[in-house]
Amino acid sequence: MKRQELIVSALDHGTVIDHIPCDRLFEVINLLHLDQMTSKVTIGFNLKSSKMGTKSIIKIADRFFTDEELNQLSVVAPNVTLVIIRDYEVVEKRPVSLPDELHGIVHCDNPKCITNNEPMQTFFHVTDKQHGVIRCHYCNHEQDIRKVKLV
Amino acid sequence: MPLRGKDSELWHIFAQGLADNATLYHRQTTFEMNRSLVTIADHSREKIEYLIRMAQEFERRPNRLILQGRIVATLFFEPSTRTRLSFETAANRLGARVIGFADPKVTSGTKGETLKDTIMMVSNYADVIVMRHYLEGAARYASEIAPVPIINAGDGANQHPSQTMLDLYTIYQTQGTLDNLNIYMVGDLKYGRTVHSLLMAMRHFNPTFHFIAPDELAMPTLYKDYCRQWGIKYVEHKDFDADVIAGADILYMTRVQRERFTDLMEYERVKDRYLLKLDMLSKARDNMRILHPLPRVNEIEYSIDDDPHAYYFQQARNGLYARQAIICDALGISLEDIQNDPTIIK
């Protein structure tokens, strides 16, 4: 019988990040510093998805993410699905969506903004989650979340 | 050694006192932080009307000693003589003392000091800080870190709420109301900070705006979206003549600056189109008043200065009363305090 699918061993402990847009996969890898990990990491790229057409997926053994890391992840790849596995059981499965506020995560693209000239944390309000619009708390400039630079 | 008996009791009273003081200090600082004026968009209709009533009191009796013993700091990280003189006059006429700088070259900012350090240092000396800064968001940031209230006297291209407050006061003074007015904005509507702030502040009062500007300096989409979001009516005009002006209650003129144009031919073509000439007032309503944030260059013909519709010099004077109200409000002085003020100098 011809094998049609890639078989990946199940995780006993760890995190699966599913529904990553393919054009964001390598940004997610960089953001989570997966290249420096010593535990087992499985990366699937250009996989078929009924929801998205194609998608990417990452399985990371023995690693769980903080809220801060997930907030960063939501900026780079909005609407991914996070699955947390303990003892081969899915203990949590939820979409990672943009929070209402982003603290210290992205740069303001306005060079005249105080945040680019003072040693301080940036602060954005997410004004339109659907279209990914964020507004700087300080200078009021709006930015497209797809074009932001991370701090 | 653990404290016993009376010692323990005394220690408890002392510690409780410290805790009470800390709570009081926290309440005071929290209270004062909330009294900062960073943007007029933070103000409700009621708050705007309240500040207008305060400014009316100061117009009737501008000279008082209600701020005697208080220190107002004016920190101008970017020079602005007109705004600084207006704030300093407001403070001085109420008996406050003024410290600060008018020229950023004399500050430690040039030595690499952060804004935070400067603000924290001055907060030790002054009861309120009026600041002008070339960076956008500087006043918001200062208001979050300073233990004393911050009054934004302009932060880059972002906000200039005291100008908006004096514009609102002038509109109220000339029309007797802020409600249901036809406000015509002319000239540079793209970069003009004053027209953007005025537009946002008027959202409470059901205005109809008319935007008259060259294509290069048209009202940005962001603000037209804002109008739609708040149900504010607006009309855009290309022509600027007696027929257009005939419907105005307020004609808010701004300066069309040469340096704003990427195409200088375009500037030469439009620069005279947005000049207000005396004959253009032939059909104007009696109640119509011409405002301008000043300085004027050539956008209002000098012969208009003596026309009863001209109101820009009175508008500039209103800056004093509006800023007296803003400073007092930041310091927690109420309208009632001002109405019952025993320190009025007659």
Side-chain angles (χ1 to χ4, degrees), chain B residues 264-308:
Chain B
L264 288 182
M265 290 291 283
E266 175 71 5
Y267 169 75
E268 292 300 328
R269 209 168 54 77
V270 303
K271 69 173 184 185
D272 294 333
R273 202 193 292 172
Y274 301 97
L275 268 182
L276 184 61
K277 299 183 187 119
L278 191 58
D279 58 12
M280 291 162 74
L281 302 178
S282 58
K283 297 179 182 171
R285 295 175 178 178
D286 287 345
N287 67 305
M288 190 277 271
R289 291 292 177 272
I290 303 160
L291 307 189
H292 191 300
L294 302 180
R296 153 180 65 162
V297 179
N298 62 350
E299 50 279 356
I300 302 173
E301 212 173 60
Y302 290 103
S303 57
I304 289 179
D305 292 359
D306 299 323
D307 188 274

mmCIF file of all heavy atoms in Angstrom, chain B residues 264-308:
data_model
loop_
_atom_site.group_PDB
_atom_site.id
_atom_site.type_symbol
_atom_site.label_atom_id
_atom_site.label_comp_id
_atom_site.label_asym_id
_atom_site.label_seq_id
_atom_site.Cartn_x
_atom_site.Cartn_y
_atom_site.Cartn_z
ATOM 1 N N LEU B 264 5.492 72.737 -6.174
ATOM 2 C CA LEU B 264 5.418 74.190 -5.935
ATOM 3 C C LEU B 264 4.535 74.897 -6.959
ATOM 4 O O LEU B 264 3.977 75.953 -6.676
ATOM 5 C CB LEU B 264 6.816 74.801 -5.912
ATOM 6 C CG LEU B 264 7.647 74.441 -4.662
ATOM 7 C CD1 LEU B 264 9.007 75.116 -4.690
ATOM 8 C CD2 LEU B 264 6.919 74.826 -3.365
ATOM 9 N N MET B 265 4.413 74.306 -8.143
ATOM 10 C CA MET B 265 3.499 74.873 -9.153
ATOM 11 C C MET B 265 2.068 74.837 -8.614
ATOM 12 O O MET B 265 1.290 75.760 -8.810
ATOM 13 C CB MET B 265 3.566 74.057 -10.457
ATOM 14 C CG MET B 265 4.869 74.206 -11.211
ATOM 15 S SD MET B 265 5.044 75.834 -11.905
ATOM 16 C CE MET B 265 3.942 75.689 -13.306
ATOM 17 N N GLU B 266 1.760 73.738 -7.935
ATOM 18 C CA GLU B 266 0.437 73.572 -7.337
ATOM 19 C C GLU B 266 0.211 74.649 -6.268
ATOM 20 O O GLU B 266 -0.859 75.242 -6.182
ATOM 21 C CB GLU B 266 0.318 72.156 -6.729
ATOM 22 C CG GLU B 266 -0.950 71.873 -5.958
ATOM 23 C CD GLU B 266 -2.196 71.752 -6.832
ATOM 24 O OE1 GLU B 266 -2.051 71.797 -8.065
ATOM 25 O OE2 GLU B 266 -3.295 71.662 -6.263
ATOM 26 N N TYR B 267 1.258 74.921 -5.488
ATOM 27 C CA TYR B 267 1.160 75.963 -4.461
ATOM 28 C C TYR B 267 0.860 77.320 -5.105
ATOM 29 O O TYR B 267 -0.042 78.042 -4.667
ATOM 30 C CB TYR B 267 2.457 76.045 -3.649
ATOM 31 C CG TYR B 267 2.526 77.261 -2.755
ATOM 32 C CD1 TYR B 267 1.782 77.327 -1.583
ATOM 33 C CD2 TYR B 267 3.320 78.357 -3.108
ATOM 34 C CE1 TYR B 267 1.826 78.451 -0.777
ATOM 35 C CE2 TYR B 267 3.363 79.487 -2.297
ATOM 36 C CZ TYR B 267 2.615 79.536 -1.137
ATOM 37 O OH TYR B 267 2.648 80.654 -0.353
ATOM 38 N N GLU B 268 1.611 77.636 -6.156
ATOM 39 C CA GLU B 268 1.406 78.925 -6.834
ATOM 40 C C GLU B 268 -0.013 79.021 -7.398
ATOM 41 O O GLU B 268 -0.612 80.078 -7.416
ATOM 42 C CB GLU B 268 2.436 79.093 -7.971
ATOM 43 C CG GLU B 268 3.883 79.259 -7.497
ATOM 44 C CD GLU B 268 4.090 80.482 -6.600
ATOM 45 O OE1 GLU B 268 3.390 81.495 -6.782
ATOM 46 O OE2 GLU B 268 4.947 80.407 -5.686
ATOM 47 N N ARG B 269 -0.515 77.903 -7.849
ATOM 48 C CA ARG B 269 -1.844 77.872 -8.461
ATOM 49 C C ARG B 269 -2.952 78.101 -7.422
ATOM 50 O O ARG B 269 -3.941 78.780 -7.698
ATOM 51 C CB ARG B 269 -2.044 76.506 -9.142
ATOM 52 C CG ARG B 269 -2.978 76.506 -10.347
ATOM 53 C CD ARG B 269 -2.870 75.202 -11.116
ATOM 54 N NE ARG B 269 -3.087 74.029 -10.278
ATOM 55 C CZ ARG B 269 -4.288 73.611 -9.877
ATOM 56 N NH1 ARG B 269 -5.362 74.268 -10.225
ATOM 57 N NH2 ARG B 269 -4.403 72.533 -9.124
ATOM 58 N N VAL B 270 -2.787 77.531 -6.221
ATOM 59 C CA VAL B 270 -3.896 77.576 -5.246
ATOM 60 C C VAL B 270 -3.734 78.624 -4.150
ATOM 61 O O VAL B 270 -4.680 78.904 -3.433
ATOM 62 C CB VAL B 270 -4.116 76.190 -4.578
ATOM 63 C CG1 VAL B 270 -4.386 75.113 -5.611
ATOM 64 C CG2 VAL B 270 -2.961 75.812 -3.677
ATOM 65 N N LYS B 271 -2.535 79.192 -4.004
ATOM 66 C CA LYS B 271 -2.277 80.011 -2.802
ATOM 67 C C LYS B 271 -3.239 81.192 -2.655
ATOM 68 O O LYS B 271 -3.606 81.551 -1.542
ATOM 69 C CB LYS B 271 -0.817 80.494 -2.781
ATOM 70 C CG LYS B 271 -0.485 81.507 -3.827
ATOM 71 C CD LYS B 271 0.910 82.076 -3.656
ATOM 72 C CE LYS B 271 1.128 83.155 -4.690
ATOM 73 N NZ LYS B 271 2.445 83.706 -4.718
ATOM 74 N N ASP B 272 -3.661 81.771 -3.799
ATOM 75 C CA ASP B 272 -4.561 82.918 -3.696
ATOM 76 C C ASP B 272 -6.032 82.513 -3.687
ATOM 77 O O ASP B 272 -6.906 83.338 -3.446
ATOM 78 C CB ASP B 272 -4.296 83.881 -4.856
ATOM 79 C CG ASP B 272 -2.904 84.496 -4.724
ATOM 80 O OD1 ASP B 272 -2.408 84.599 -3.582
ATOM 81 O OD2 ASP B 272 -2.304 84.840 -5.760
ATOM 82 N N ARG B 273 -6.272 81.236 -3.945
ATOM 83 C CA ARG B 273 -7.664 80.802 -4.026
ATOM 84 C C ARG B 273 -8.300 80.746 -2.640
ATOM 85 O O ARG B 273 -9.504 80.791 -2.480
ATOM 86 C CB ARG B 273 -7.731 79.424 -4.690
ATOM 87 C CG ARG B 273 -9.099 79.154 -5.291
ATOM 88 C CD ARG B 273 -9.273 77.707 -5.660
ATOM 89 N NE ARG B 273 -8.409 77.318 -6.762
ATOM 90 C CZ ARG B 273 -8.278 76.045 -7.150
ATOM 91 N NH1 ARG B 273 -8.925 75.086 -6.508
ATOM 92 N NH2 ARG B 273 -7.491 75.737 -8.148
ATOM 93 N N TYR B 274 -7.473 80.624 -1.618
ATOM 94 C CA TYR B 274 -8.015 80.498 -0.260
ATOM 95 C C TYR B 274 -7.725 81.737 0.587
ATOM 96 O O TYR B 274 -7.623 81.675 1.792
ATOM 97 C CB TYR B 274 -7.502 79.201 0.385
ATOM 98 C CG TYR B 274 -7.933 78.034 -0.446
ATOM 99 C CD1 TYR B 274 -7.072 77.466 -1.387
ATOM 100 C CD2 TYR B 274 -9.231 77.551 -0.361
ATOM 101 C CE1 TYR B 274 -7.500 76.422 -2.202
ATOM 102 C CE2 TYR B 274 -9.665 76.517 -1.171
ATOM 103 C CZ TYR B 274 -8.799 75.955 -2.088
ATOM 104 O OH TYR B 274 -9.230 74.943 -2.903
ATOM 105 N N LEU B 275 -7.609 82.868 -0.138
ATOM 106 C CA LEU B 275 -7.461 84.174 0.510
ATOM 107 C C LEU B 275 -8.843 84.721 0.807
ATOM 108 O O LEU B 275 -9.711 84.697 -0.054
ATOM 109 C CB LEU B 275 -6.803 85.141 -0.471
ATOM 110 C CG LEU B 275 -5.292 85.271 -0.462
ATOM 111 C CD1 LEU B 275 -4.868 86.318 -1.471
ATOM 112 C CD2 LEU B 275 -4.844 85.679 0.918
ATOM 113 N N LEU B 276 -9.021 85.211 2.001
ATOM 114 C CA LEU B 276 -10.319 85.809 2.334
ATOM 115 C C LEU B 276 -10.249 87.308 2.059
ATOM 116 O O LEU B 276 -9.417 88.017 2.642
ATOM 117 C CB LEU B 276 -10.658 85.540 3.802
ATOM 118 C CG LEU B 276 -12.030 86.027 4.266
ATOM 119 C CD1 LEU B 276 -13.152 85.351 3.496
ATOM 120 C CD2 LEU B 276 -12.199 85.772 5.766
ATOM 121 N N LYS B 277 -11.138 87.777 1.140
ATOM 122 C CA LYS B 277 -11.154 89.204 0.779
ATOM 123 C C LYS B 277 -12.455 89.826 1.281
ATOM 124 O O LYS B 277 -13.464 89.123 1.442
ATOM 125 C CB LYS B 277 -11.047 89.353 -0.736
ATOM 126 C CG LYS B 277 -9.753 88.769 -1.298
ATOM 127 C CD LYS B 277 -9.650 88.994 -2.794
ATOM 128 C CE LYS B 277 -8.447 88.257 -3.350
ATOM 129 N NZ LYS B 277 -8.753 87.260 -4.334
ATOM 130 N N LEU B 278 -12.397 91.126 1.484
ATOM 131 C CA LEU B 278 -13.527 91.833 2.092
ATOM 132 C C LEU B 278 -14.824 91.631 1.312
ATOM 133 O O LEU B 278 -15.883 91.395 1.905
ATOM 134 C CB LEU B 278 -13.188 93.328 2.204
ATOM 135 C CG LEU B 278 -14.141 94.169 3.042
ATOM 136 C CD1 LEU B 278 -14.234 93.637 4.469
ATOM 137 C CD2 LEU B 278 -13.696 95.625 3.055
ATOM 138 N N ASP B 279 -14.736 91.670 -0.039
ATOM 139 C CA ASP B 279 -15.982 91.564 -0.818
ATOM 140 C C ASP B 279 -16.623 90.172 -0.705
ATOM 141 O O ASP B 279 -17.787 89.993 -1.038
ATOM 142 C CB ASP B 279 -15.752 91.950 -2.286
ATOM 143 C CG ASP B 279 -14.694 91.078 -2.948
ATOM 144 O OD1 ASP B 279 -14.312 90.051 -2.355
ATOM 145 O OD2 ASP B 279 -14.244 91.427 -4.061
ATOM 146 N N MET B 280 -15.852 89.203 -0.211
ATOM 147 C CA MET B 280 -16.415 87.846 -0.059
ATOM 148 C C MET B 280 -17.363 87.757 1.138
ATOM 149 O O MET B 280 -18.033 86.750 1.338
ATOM 150 C CB MET B 280 -15.283 86.816 0.092
ATOM 151 C CG MET B 280 -14.487 86.649 -1.193
ATOM 152 S SD MET B 280 -12.887 85.879 -0.897
ATOM 153 C CE MET B 280 -13.356 84.201 -0.603
ATOM 154 N N LEU B 281 -17.391 88.829 1.945
ATOM 155 C CA LEU B 281 -18.255 88.813 3.137
ATOM 156 C C LEU B 281 -19.619 89.440 2.864
ATOM 157 O O LEU B 281 -20.438 89.591 3.778
ATOM 158 C CB LEU B 281 -17.573 89.557 4.293
ATOM 159 C CG LEU B 281 -16.197 89.029 4.709
ATOM 160 C CD1 LEU B 281 -15.617 89.880 5.830
ATOM 161 C CD2 LEU B 281 -16.278 87.574 5.146
ATOM 162 N N SER B 282 -19.869 89.788 1.588
ATOM 163 C CA SER B 282 -21.086 90.543 1.260
ATOM 164 C C SER B 282 -22.369 89.792 1.640
ATOM 165 O O SER B 282 -23.376 90.411 1.955
ATOM 166 C CB SER B 282 -21.093 90.881 -0.232
ATOM 167 O OG SER B 282 -21.006 89.675 -0.975
ATOM 168 N N LYS B 283 -22.333 88.473 1.585
ATOM 169 C CA LYS B 283 -23.560 87.708 1.893
ATOM 170 C C LYS B 283 -23.481 87.004 3.253
ATOM 171 O O LYS B 283 -24.343 86.175 3.575
ATOM 172 C CB LYS B 283 -23.790 86.653 0.808
ATOM 173 C CG LYS B 283 -24.025 87.249 -0.575
ATOM 174 C CD LYS B 283 -24.220 86.147 -1.600
ATOM 175 C CE LYS B 283 -24.396 86.757 -2.982
ATOM 176 N NZ LYS B 283 -24.375 85.736 -4.041
ATOM 177 N N ALA B 284 -22.468 87.331 4.025
ATOM 178 C CA ALA B 284 -22.256 86.613 5.297
ATOM 179 C C ALA B 284 -23.367 86.929 6.297
ATOM 180 O O ALA B 284 -23.914 88.041 6.314
ATOM 181 C CB ALA B 284 -20.910 86.998 5.894
ATOM 182 N N ARG B 285 -23.692 85.950 7.128
ATOM 183 C CA ARG B 285 -24.671 86.153 8.196
ATOM 184 C C ARG B 285 -24.122 87.165 9.205
ATOM 185 O O ARG B 285 -22.904 87.246 9.403
ATOM 186 C CB ARG B 285 -24.924 84.841 8.937
ATOM 187 C CG ARG B 285 -25.568 83.786 8.090
ATOM 188 C CD ARG B 285 -25.669 82.495 8.882
ATOM 189 N NE ARG B 285 -26.341 81.472 8.101
ATOM 190 C CZ ARG B 285 -26.542 80.228 8.529
ATOM 191 N NH1 ARG B 285 -26.127 79.843 9.717
ATOM 192 N NH2 ARG B 285 -27.166 79.359 7.765
ATOM 193 N N ASP B 286 -25.031 87.848 9.882
ATOM 194 C CA ASP B 286 -24.590 88.844 10.870
ATOM 195 C C ASP B 286 -23.793 88.192 11.997
ATOM 196 O O ASP B 286 -22.866 88.769 12.538
ATOM 197 C CB ASP B 286 -25.804 89.565 11.482
ATOM 198 C CG ASP B 286 -26.429 90.526 10.483
ATOM 199 O OD1 ASP B 286 -25.758 90.834 9.468
ATOM 200 O OD2 ASP B 286 -27.578 90.947 10.703
ATOM 201 N N ASN B 287 -24.221 86.975 12.375
ATOM 202 C CA ASN B 287 -23.568 86.315 13.522
ATOM 203 C C ASN B 287 -22.249 85.645 13.129
ATOM 204 O O ASN B 287 -21.529 85.150 13.994
ATOM 205 C CB ASN B 287 -24.504 85.263 14.120
ATOM 206 C CG ASN B 287 -24.738 84.095 13.164
ATOM 207 O OD1 ASN B 287 -25.150 84.311 12.021
ATOM 208 N ND2 ASN B 287 -24.453 82.901 13.607
ATOM 209 N N MET B 288 -21.938 85.617 11.828
ATOM 210 C CA MET B 288 -20.726 84.912 11.393
ATOM 211 C C MET B 288 -19.479 85.619 11.931
ATOM 212 O O MET B 288 -19.392 86.840 11.935
ATOM 213 C CB MET B 288 -20.677 84.852 9.862
ATOM 214 C CG MET B 288 -19.588 83.925 9.323
ATOM 215 S SD MET B 288 -17.978 84.704 9.246
ATOM 216 C CE MET B 288 -18.039 85.421 7.613
ATOM 217 N N ARG B 289 -18.541 84.809 12.454
ATOM 218 C CA ARG B 289 -17.271 85.365 12.927
ATOM 219 C C ARG B 289 -16.108 84.617 12.291
ATOM 220 O O ARG B 289 -16.173 83.393 12.101
ATOM 221 C CB ARG B 289 -17.165 85.257 14.459
ATOM 222 C CG ARG B 289 -18.134 86.174 15.207
ATOM 223 C CD ARG B 289 -17.785 87.647 15.023
ATOM 224 N NE ARG B 289 -18.740 88.541 15.661
ATOM 225 C CZ ARG B 289 -19.860 89.006 15.081
ATOM 226 N NH1 ARG B 289 -20.161 88.643 13.838
ATOM 227 N NH2 ARG B 289 -20.657 89.820 15.740
ATOM 228 N N ILE B 290 -15.052 85.377 11.985
ATOM 229 C CA ILE B 290 -13.860 84.791 11.356
ATOM 230 C C ILE B 290 -12.834 84.507 12.448
ATOM 231 O O ILE B 290 -12.440 85.415 13.197
ATOM 232 C CB ILE B 290 -13.258 85.771 10.327
ATOM 233 C CG1 ILE B 290 -14.305 86.157 9.280
ATOM 234 C CG2 ILE B 290 -12.023 85.162 9.662
ATOM 235 C CD1 ILE B 290 -13.966 87.445 8.540
ATOM 236 N N LEU B 291 -12.418 83.248 12.531
ATOM 237 C CA LEU B 291 -11.385 82.864 13.499
ATOM 238 C C LEU B 291 -10.123 82.431 12.754
ATOM 239 O O LEU B 291 -10.172 82.036 11.583
ATOM 240 C CB LEU B 291 -11.865 81.720 14.393
ATOM 241 C CG LEU B 291 -13.200 81.879 15.130
ATOM 242 C CD1 LEU B 291 -13.385 80.729 16.120
ATOM 243 C CD2 LEU B 291 -13.286 83.211 15.861
ATOM 244 N N HIS B 292 -9.007 82.513 13.435
ATOM 245 C CA HIS B 292 -7.717 82.098 12.867
ATOM 246 C C HIS B 292 -6.786 81.817 14.051
ATOM 247 O O HIS B 292 -6.707 82.632 14.963
ATOM 248 C CB HIS B 292 -7.155 83.228 11.991
ATOM 249 C CG HIS B 292 -5.966 82.813 11.165
ATOM 250 N ND1 HIS B 292 -4.805 82.347 11.727
ATOM 251 C CD2 HIS B 292 -5.779 82.790 9.825
ATOM 252 C CE1 HIS B 292 -3.940 82.052 10.759
ATOM 253 N NE2 HIS B 292 -4.497 82.307 9.591
ATOM 254 N N PRO B 293 -6.093 80.672 14.066
ATOM 255 C CA PRO B 293 -5.235 80.388 15.227
ATOM 256 C C PRO B 293 -4.009 81.305 15.289
ATOM 257 O O PRO B 293 -3.322 81.313 16.327
ATOM 258 C CB PRO B 293 -4.836 78.925 15.023
ATOM 259 C CG PRO B 293 -5.039 78.639 13.568
ATOM 260 C CD PRO B 293 -6.116 79.560 13.099
ATOM 261 N N LEU B 294 -3.734 82.043 14.235
ATOM 262 C CA LEU B 294 -2.591 82.966 14.163
ATOM 263 C C LEU B 294 -1.267 82.196 14.338
ATOM 264 O O LEU B 294 -1.268 81.179 15.027
ATOM 265 C CB LEU B 294 -2.696 84.099 15.176
ATOM 266 C CG LEU B 294 -3.967 84.975 15.068
ATOM 267 C CD1 LEU B 294 -3.932 86.062 16.162
ATOM 268 C CD2 LEU B 294 -4.098 85.625 13.698
ATOM 269 N N PRO B 295 -0.157 82.554 13.783
ATOM 270 C CA PRO B 295 0.019 83.791 13.016
ATOM 271 C C PRO B 295 -0.597 83.722 11.615
ATOM 272 O O PRO B 295 -0.592 82.684 10.989
ATOM 273 C CB PRO B 295 1.543 83.883 12.920
ATOM 274 C CG PRO B 295 2.031 82.474 13.006
ATOM 275 C CD PRO B 295 1.082 81.763 13.894
ATOM 276 N N ARG B 296 -1.076 84.886 11.207
ATOM 277 C CA ARG B 296 -1.617 85.019 9.853
ATOM 278 C C ARG B 296 -0.496 85.486 8.945
ATOM 279 O O ARG B 296 0.349 86.281 9.363
ATOM 280 C CB ARG B 296 -2.741 86.058 9.909
ATOM 281 C CG ARG B 296 -2.970 86.773 8.600
ATOM 282 C CD ARG B 296 -4.081 87.792 8.710
ATOM 283 N NE ARG B 296 -3.788 88.891 9.607
ATOM 284 C CZ ARG B 296 -4.467 90.058 9.591
ATOM 285 N NH1 ARG B 296 -5.468 90.228 8.755
ATOM 286 N NH2 ARG B 296 -4.174 91.012 10.433
ATOM 287 N N VAL B 297 -0.488 85.027 7.726
ATOM 288 C CA VAL B 297 0.495 85.566 6.776
ATOM 289 C C VAL B 297 -0.239 86.403 5.738
ATOM 290 O O VAL B 297 -0.224 87.625 5.800
ATOM 291 C CB VAL B 297 1.349 84.439 6.154
ATOM 292 C CG1 VAL B 297 2.335 85.027 5.159
ATOM 293 C CG2 VAL B 297 2.111 83.709 7.236
ATOM 294 N N ASN B 298 -0.927 85.745 4.819
ATOM 295 C CA ASN B 298 -1.678 86.571 3.869
ATOM 296 C C ASN B 298 -3.047 85.978 3.579
ATOM 297 O O ASN B 298 -3.660 86.293 2.585
ATOM 298 C CB ASN B 298 -0.885 86.754 2.570
ATOM 299 C CG ASN B 298 -0.651 85.416 1.889
ATOM 300 O OD1 ASN B 298 -0.923 84.370 2.484
ATOM 301 N ND2 ASN B 298 -0.168 85.432 0.659
ATOM 302 N N GLU B 299 -3.508 85.060 4.455
ATOM 303 C CA GLU B 299 -4.764 84.384 4.118
ATOM 304 C C GLU B 299 -6.012 85.196 4.455
ATOM 305 O O GLU B 299 -7.096 84.853 4.014
ATOM 306 C CB GLU B 299 -4.833 82.987 4.748
ATOM 307 C CG GLU B 299 -4.517 82.881 6.217
ATOM 308 C CD GLU B 299 -3.023 82.846 6.512
ATOM 309 O OE1 GLU B 299 -2.209 82.823 5.572
ATOM 310 O OE2 GLU B 299 -2.671 82.884 7.687
ATOM 311 N N ILE B 300 -5.850 86.282 5.233
ATOM 312 C CA ILE B 300 -6.981 87.189 5.483
ATOM 313 C C ILE B 300 -6.524 88.596 5.110
ATOM 314 O O ILE B 300 -5.544 89.091 5.666
ATOM 315 C CB ILE B 300 -7.418 87.165 6.968
ATOM 316 C CG1 ILE B 300 -7.800 85.741 7.399
ATOM 317 C CG2 ILE B 300 -8.580 88.114 7.207
ATOM 318 C CD1 ILE B 300 -8.081 85.594 8.893
ATOM 319 N N GLU B 301 -7.250 89.199 4.176
ATOM 320 C CA GLU B 301 -6.898 90.553 3.734
ATOM 321 C C GLU B 301 -6.925 91.514 4.936
ATOM 322 O O GLU B 301 -7.850 91.426 5.764
ATOM 323 C CB GLU B 301 -7.945 90.996 2.705
ATOM 324 C CG GLU B 301 -7.434 91.901 1.631
ATOM 325 C CD GLU B 301 -8.515 92.132 0.587
ATOM 326 O OE1 GLU B 301 -9.604 92.655 0.942
ATOM 327 O OE2 GLU B 301 -8.274 91.795 -0.580
ATOM 328 N N TYR B 302 -5.943 92.397 5.018
ATOM 329 C CA TYR B 302 -5.847 93.263 6.202
ATOM 330 C C TYR B 302 -7.058 94.186 6.363
ATOM 331 O O TYR B 302 -7.405 94.588 7.465
ATOM 332 C CB TYR B 302 -4.545 94.070 6.167
ATOM 333 C CG TYR B 302 -3.345 93.166 6.398
ATOM 334 C CD1 TYR B 302 -2.533 92.765 5.342
ATOM 335 C CD2 TYR B 302 -3.055 92.664 7.669
ATOM 336 C CE1 TYR B 302 -1.461 91.899 5.537
ATOM 337 C CE2 TYR B 302 -1.994 91.796 7.878
ATOM 338 C CZ TYR B 302 -1.195 91.417 6.811
ATOM 339 O OH TYR B 302 -0.163 90.558 7.018
ATOM 340 N N SER B 303 -7.716 94.502 5.231
ATOM 341 C CA SER B 303 -8.887 95.392 5.310
ATOM 342 C C SER B 303 -10.035 94.738 6.095
ATOM 343 O O SER B 303 -10.947 95.420 6.545
ATOM 344 C CB SER B 303 -9.355 95.751 3.901
ATOM 345 O OG SER B 303 -9.648 94.565 3.191
ATOM 346 N N ILE B 304 -9.968 93.433 6.258
ATOM 347 C CA ILE B 304 -11.042 92.735 7.001
ATOM 348 C C ILE B 304 -10.920 92.976 8.506
ATOM 349 O O ILE B 304 -11.902 92.870 9.247
ATOM 350 C CB ILE B 304 -11.013 91.216 6.665
ATOM 351 C CG1 ILE B 304 -11.495 91.022 5.233
ATOM 352 C CG2 ILE B 304 -11.864 90.391 7.627
ATOM 353 C CD1 ILE B 304 -11.489 89.594 4.752
ATOM 354 N N ASP B 305 -9.728 93.367 8.964
ATOM 355 C CA ASP B 305 -9.502 93.512 10.413
ATOM 356 C C ASP B 305 -10.537 94.424 11.088
ATOM 357 O O ASP B 305 -10.887 94.220 12.249
ATOM 358 C CB ASP B 305 -8.096 94.081 10.688
ATOM 359 C CG ASP B 305 -7.004 93.084 10.309
ATOM 360 O OD1 ASP B 305 -7.343 91.974 9.855
ATOM 361 O OD2 ASP B 305 -5.821 93.426 10.439
ATOM 362 N N ASP B 306 -11.010 95.426 10.355
ATOM 363 C CA ASP B 306 -11.964 96.368 10.950
ATOM 364 C C ASP B 306 -13.415 95.967 10.722
ATOM 365 O O ASP B 306 -14.335 96.669 11.154
ATOM 366 C CB ASP B 306 -11.728 97.777 10.365
ATOM 367 C CG ASP B 306 -10.317 98.263 10.692
ATOM 368 O OD1 ASP B 306 -9.845 97.960 11.803
ATOM 369 O OD2 ASP B 306 -9.690 98.896 9.824
ATOM 370 N N ASP B 307 -13.619 94.887 10.008
ATOM 371 C CA ASP B 307 -14.985 94.422 9.745
ATOM 372 C C ASP B 307 -15.535 93.741 11.002
ATOM 373 O O ASP B 307 -14.799 93.057 11.712
ATOM 374 C CB ASP B 307 -14.943 93.420 8.575
ATOM 375 C CG ASP B 307 -16.326 93.027 8.104
ATOM 376 O OD1 ASP B 307 -16.903 92.077 8.706
ATOM 377 O OD2 ASP B 307 -16.825 93.661 7.172
ATOM 378 N N PRO B 308 -16.820 93.926 11.289
ATOM 379 C CA PRO B 308 -17.369 93.302 12.513
ATOM 380 C C PRO B 308 -17.311 91.777 12.527
ATOM 381 O O PRO B 308 -17.451 91.161 13.584
ATOM 382 C CB PRO B 308 -18.821 93.790 12.558
ATOM 383 C CG PRO B 308 -19.095 94.405 11.233
ATOM 384 C CD PRO B 308 -17.800 94.792 10.623
#
